[in-house]
Amino acid sequence: MQDHRMENARGRRGAGSMMDVALAEARAAGARGETPIGAVVVREGVVIASAGNRPRELNDPTAHAEILAIRAAAAVLGNERLTGCDLYVTLEPCPMCAAAISFARVRRLYYGAADPKGGAVDSGVRLYASPTCHHAPEVYGGMSETASATLLRDFFAARR
């Protein structure tokens, strides 16, 4: 798992550049043969942790980018709750990741491409709209959507 802690020299970044970090993690995951998805946890404009998918490498079906980034951020902060943190991810989270985001109490979720088949935020089960959902982050879809979708499409086209 890659844990990129930004030093003060790198300073604060805007939402677009946070998605650039997530896209870089996704490209690195794709280069490793993983599905190219990247995630970044941010607090007060500073990257706390970032990760790309690693289920094949780690032989771990839970090693999605979001889960790895959440685990790393929780370790950095010394708290299982990421109160005040935002998560940027290149693809709409699946049910497992959407639940982890809720349990971690992430403040805002920004995602790139929608996932009509496997997504659980604005597609599929729509976890955060469920009355049994304990915490629903603010959700902003479509961030760097074209770049995120193109990365995934190109990855799978090359595999066919």
Side-chain angles (χ1 to χ4, degrees):
M1 172 173 45
Q2 289 181 318
D3 171 10
H4 298 289
R5 296 177 202 167
M6 300 301 218
E7 300 299 326
N8 288 337
R10 293 183 109 165
R12 296 177 184 276
R13 297 171 172 250
S17 63
M18 295 304 177
M19 283 303 290
D20 290 340
V21 176
L23 284 162
E25 288 286 356
R27 283 192 280 292
R32 292 189 304 271
E34 300 281 0
T35 301
I37 300 170
V40 180
V41 176
V42 177
R43 188 177 205 182
E44 297 177 9
V46 177
V47 174
I48 303 299
S50 64
N53 266 6
R54 293 186 181 268
R56 289 173 175 249
E57 176 185 340
L58 300 177
N59 297 310
D60 179 356
T62 70
H64 289 197
E66 301 95 319
I67 301 292
L68 297 175
I70 287 169
R71 287 177 184 162
V76 167
L77 297 175
N79 194 328
E80 80 278 10
R81 293 203 174 163
L82 303 182
T83 306
C85 291
D86 301 331
L87 178 70
Y88 295 79
V89 62
T90 57
L91 183 67
E92 179 183 359
C94 70
M96 174 184 69
C97 293
I101 291 163
S102 176
F103 290 134
R105 304 298 196 266
V106 169
R107 177 178 60 176
R108 291 184 196 109
L109 167 65
Y110 299 88
Y111 71 84
D115 186 356
K117 288 184 180 179
V121 176
D122 291 323
S123 305
V125 298
R126 298 182 183 200
L127 180 72
Y128 303 138
S130 171
T132 59
C133 181
H134 294 287
H135 168 78
E138 294 175 33
V139 176
Y140 302 91
M143 298 280 303
S144 300
E145 182 174 19
T146 301
S148 297
T150 299
L151 187 60
L152 285 159
R153 192 172 22 257
D154 291 350
F155 176 80
F156 288 112
R159 293 216 170 294
R160 290 186 190 121

